[in-house]
């Protein structure tokens, strides 16, 4: 039974509204007519009203020098190179030679894609492959060289790498109710990711689970949005470092991802990749709470959810991805899709989906469909289906993250401070944090 259901009595409707509005600071209603929020939403239940959402701000202040550099880079890049930045391929389906030809902006590895086909590869092999992809992205030949970035699911430790420190899953960490511990876990994970030459982790997951039948319930910190909100900013600061400080995205830190936007934990019946048939108030006051603190902590990327809100897939929901996430919540990073998630939109397939990019997804996560999505996106740009302005907007967001992460200056992965230091993986200090987390996550159940 969910936390929300436990609170309900016969006055369910009244208590529901009280719970939803009481779990966070109520956003200021900026609509000129000051209509009652509930009345607005009742009149248009399937419409997003950005003015009802809180005004947030990224913890990372834009740097004038970086913005000027983005303008120069955009002027130097070819259309083909710009489209390449929008595409992310899995290392099991792409080679460094492909990067030289297509100039893809990023790569990832799924749980079964280890370096050179070896899921049990040593940290040194991860660094070696990272070097090969970086060198390919920086080779001469097609436009201005742009460094590639590598993303991985280090969601409870760097769990794809043998010997890494493994922390409790989110459901256990949430039981600890200790944001300071979460920040230390993020920092430890970031160091182990950096030790393998990787730039980016697809974490933290900010789902607020509402139905325990959901098969990914263990990925949610809590069904209480206040806990998720407290943890989100802490984990992002641990992974990336504190915005405005010298540690921010330095050699000890990597890029974080707030995911999955939005309401992946609120689908009807707990169905994975299902439909969150809930009100906009519930969407805002329950499921968006973690994003407020993640954005305030300077989260550089957000990942779109496989799921839908009231029948519309998130990968195609421009009102939420653009008008709310960027326009109201103040996010100032890039949006990456989930594993071929764009292909689930109506009228789309895995290798052809201009609609997702037009809706606000900046990077297609196209692990095995990358070549097709590159070709169809390029054709859409050349035909005008994807406008030049939207193309430059998406590429600028990607470049901004890369520049803020210092990827142009850090050099190839093996030259970075922690790269190749196998002793960091599973170190005594990190395992001590993991053991502390296990102790704090223990819950005593009483059978009444």
């Amino acid at each position: 039974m969910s936390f929300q259901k436990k609170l309900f009595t016969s006055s369910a409707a009244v208590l529901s509204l009280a719970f939803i509005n009481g779990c966070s600071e109520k956003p200021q209603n900026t609509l000129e007519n000051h209509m009652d929020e509930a009345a607005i939403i009742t009149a248009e239940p399937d419409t997003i009203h950005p003015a009802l959402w809180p005004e947030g701000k990224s913890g990372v202040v834009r740097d004038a020098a970086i913005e000027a550099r983005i303008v120069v880079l955009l002027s130097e890049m070819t259309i083909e190179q710009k489209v390449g930045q929008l595409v992310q391929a899995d290392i099991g389906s792409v080679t460094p030679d492909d990067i030289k030809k297509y100039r893809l902006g990023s790569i990832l590895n799924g749980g079964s894609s280890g370096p050179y086909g070896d899921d049990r590869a040593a940290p040194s092999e991860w660094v070696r492959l990272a070097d090969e992809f970086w060198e390919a992205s920086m080779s001469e030949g097609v436009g201005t060289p742009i460094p590639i970035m590598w993303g991985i699911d280090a969601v409870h430790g760097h769990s794809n790498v043998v010997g890494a420190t493994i922390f409790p899953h989110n459901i256990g960490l949430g039981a600890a109710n200790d944001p300071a511990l979460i920040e230390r876990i993020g920092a430890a994970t970031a160091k182990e990711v950096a030790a393998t030459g990787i730039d980016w982790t697809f974490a933290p997951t900010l789902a607020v689970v509402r139905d325990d039948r959901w098969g990914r319930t263990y990925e949610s910190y809590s069904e209480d949005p206040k806990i998720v909100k407290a943890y989100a900013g802490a984990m992002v600061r641990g992974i990336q470092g504190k915005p405005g400080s010298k540690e921010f995205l330095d050699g000890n830190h990597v890029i974080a991802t707030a995911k999955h936007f939005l309401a992946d934990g609120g689908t009807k019946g707990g169905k994975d990749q299902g439909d969150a048939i809930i009100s906009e108030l519930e969407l805002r006051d329950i499921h968006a709470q973690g994003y407020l603190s993640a954005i305030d902590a300077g989260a550089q990327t957000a990942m779109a959810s496989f799921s839908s809100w009231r029948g519309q897939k998130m990968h195609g929901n421009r009102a939420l991805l653009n008008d709310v996430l960027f326009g109201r919540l103040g996010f100032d990073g890039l949006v990456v899709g989930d594993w071929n998630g764009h292909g689930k939109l109506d009228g789309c397939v895995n290798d052809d989906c201009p609609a997702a990019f037009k809706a606000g997804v900046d990077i297609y996560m196209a692990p095995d469909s990358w070549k097709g999505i590159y070709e169809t996106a390029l054709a859409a740009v050349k035909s005008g289906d994807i406008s030049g302005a939207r193309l430059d907007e998406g590429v600028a967001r990607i470049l901004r993250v890369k520049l803020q992460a210092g990827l142009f200056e850090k050099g190839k992965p093996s030259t970075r401070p922690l790269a190749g230091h196998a002793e960091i993986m599973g170190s005594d200090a990190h395992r001590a944090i993991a053991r502390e987390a296990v102790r704090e996550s223990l819950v005593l159940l009483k059978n009444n």
Side-chain angles (χ1 to χ4, degrees):
M1 182 177 288
S2 74
F3 180 63
Q4 187 178 32
K5 289 177 182 175
K6 293 171 189 172
L7 290 178
F8 284 6
T9 67
S10 57
S11 303
V14 176
L15 284 174
S16 174
L17 188 58
F19 172 72
I20 292 165
N21 288 334
C23 64
S24 65
E25 292 184 9
K26 187 176 180 180
Q28 182 181 0
N29 186 347
T30 58
L31 293 182
E32 291 181 1
N33 56 13
H34 298 290
M35 291 175 63
D36 179 76
E37 292 178 346
I40 296 170
I41 290 167
T42 299
E44 297 178 304
D46 299 328
T47 301
I48 291 296
H49 305 84
L52 296 181
W53 292 68
E55 289 188 88
K57 185 177 181 181
S58 173
V60 178
V61 179
R62 285 197 179 184
D63 182 280
I66 286 178
E67 296 307 306
R69 195 169 177 186
I70 289 171
V71 172
V72 172
L73 287 169
L74 287 173
S75 70
E76 296 173 345
M77 295 170 71
T78 65
I79 290 178
E80 289 78 7
Q81 192 179 17
K82 290 178 180 179
V83 171
Q85 290 296 302
L86 313 181
V87 181
Q88 184 177 74
D90 185 271
I91 63 170
S93 302
V94 70
T95 67
D97 284 341
D98 290 326
I99 301 302
K100 288 181 181 179
K101 179 177 180 180
Y102 293 94
R103 300 291 163 162
L104 304 190
S106 59
I107 53 173
L108 81 153
N109 67 282
S112 59
S113 299
Y116 312 106
D118 183 3
D119 292 343
R120 300 184 63 81
S124 60
E125 292 297 276
W126 290 83
V127 175
R128 181 161 73 94
L129 185 60
D131 272 0
E132 291 174 8
F133 278 112
W134 184 90
E135 288 168 350
S137 71
M138 298 302 287
S139 62
E140 299 293 334
V142 182
T144 301
I146 307 293
I148 200 166
M149 58 183 177
W150 183 340
I152 191 169
D153 271 312
V155 294
H156 65 125
H158 199 16
S159 56
N160 285 288
V161 181
V162 174
T165 309
I166 305 299
F167 299 94
H169 254 303
N170 285 0
I171 192 171
L173 296 178
N177 200 7
D178 186 345
L181 172 63
I182 296 307
E183 186 165 344
R184 288 191 286 134
I185 289 172
T189 301
K191 287 181 179 180
E192 297 198 8
V193 171
T196 55
I198 295 175
D199 315 287
W200 180 11
T201 172
F202 301 133
T205 298
L206 304 180
V208 183
V209 62
R210 308 307 292 167
D211 190 318
D212 294 341
R213 292 173 295 182
W214 186 36
R216 299 178 72 167
T217 289
Y218 65 91
E219 293 187 38
S220 174
Y221 290 123
S222 178
E223 55 195 1
D224 184 346
K226 287 183 285 188
I227 291 177
V228 176
K229 183 177 182 180
Y231 273 28
M235 182 61 84
V236 170
R237 284 190 299 273
I239 293 170
Q240 296 187 164
K242 184 179 179 180
S245 71
K246 292 182 179 180
E247 71 175 20
F248 182 70
L249 290 173
D250 65 4
N252 293 319
H253 296 88
V254 295
I255 299 163
T257 306
K259 71 178 188 183
H260 306 88
F261 192 83
L262 184 61
D264 47 338
T267 57
K268 184 178 180 180
K271 183 179 179 182
D272 191 34
Q273 304 182 24
D275 194 4
I277 309 175
I278 58 177
S279 73
E280 186 178 0
L281 289 180
E282 290 175 280
L283 194 66
R284 180 194 72 188
D285 295 341
I286 295 176
H287 298 281
Q289 290 303 300
Y291 293 89
L292 299 177
S293 61
I295 291 167
D296 182 66
Q300 290 295 283
T301 73
M303 184 181 291
S305 178
F306 274 121
S307 60
S308 305
W309 177 69
R310 302 185 72 85
Q312 184 174 3
K313 284 289 184 183
M314 283 304 310
H315 278 68
N317 194 320
R318 182 170 174 81
L320 284 169
L321 288 177
N322 188 76
D323 302 345
V324 168
L325 183 60
F326 284 94
R328 293 296 293 183
L329 302 186
F331 179 63
D332 196 28
L334 66 86
V335 175
V336 60
D338 207 340
W339 191 277
N340 278 329
H342 55 274
K344 297 183 180 295
L345 296 185
D346 288 342
C348 289
V349 291
N350 288 351
D351 58 4
D352 188 1
C353 190
F357 183 69
K358 290 191 285 186
V361 173
D362 301 306
I363 294 179
Y364 291 98
M365 185 183 285
D368 53 1
S369 59
W370 64 268
K371 189 176 293 186
I373 205 73
Y374 170 87
E375 292 170 347
T376 55
L378 180 60
V381 170
K382 289 183 174 180
S383 72
D385 187 21
I386 291 176
S387 70
R390 172 64 187 119
L391 176 65
D392 281 357
E393 176 186 61
V395 176
R397 290 173 178 172
I398 296 165
L399 293 174
R400 185 173 295 113
V401 170
K402 290 184 175 184
L403 286 163
Q404 288 179 162
L407 298 188
F408 285 79
E409 291 75 36
K410 285 181 177 177
K412 65 181 181 179
S414 62
T415 66
R416 299 171 191 174
L418 301 185
H421 288 267
E423 71 277 6
I424 293 172
M425 308 296 292
S427 68
D428 290 344
H430 292 174
R431 289 181 187 273
I433 298 172
R435 293 187 182 101
E436 179 183 350
V438 170
R439 290 193 298 271
E440 288 201 32
S441 71
L442 296 176
V443 177
L444 177 65
L445 301 179
K446 183 176 181 181
N447 184 359
N448 288 323

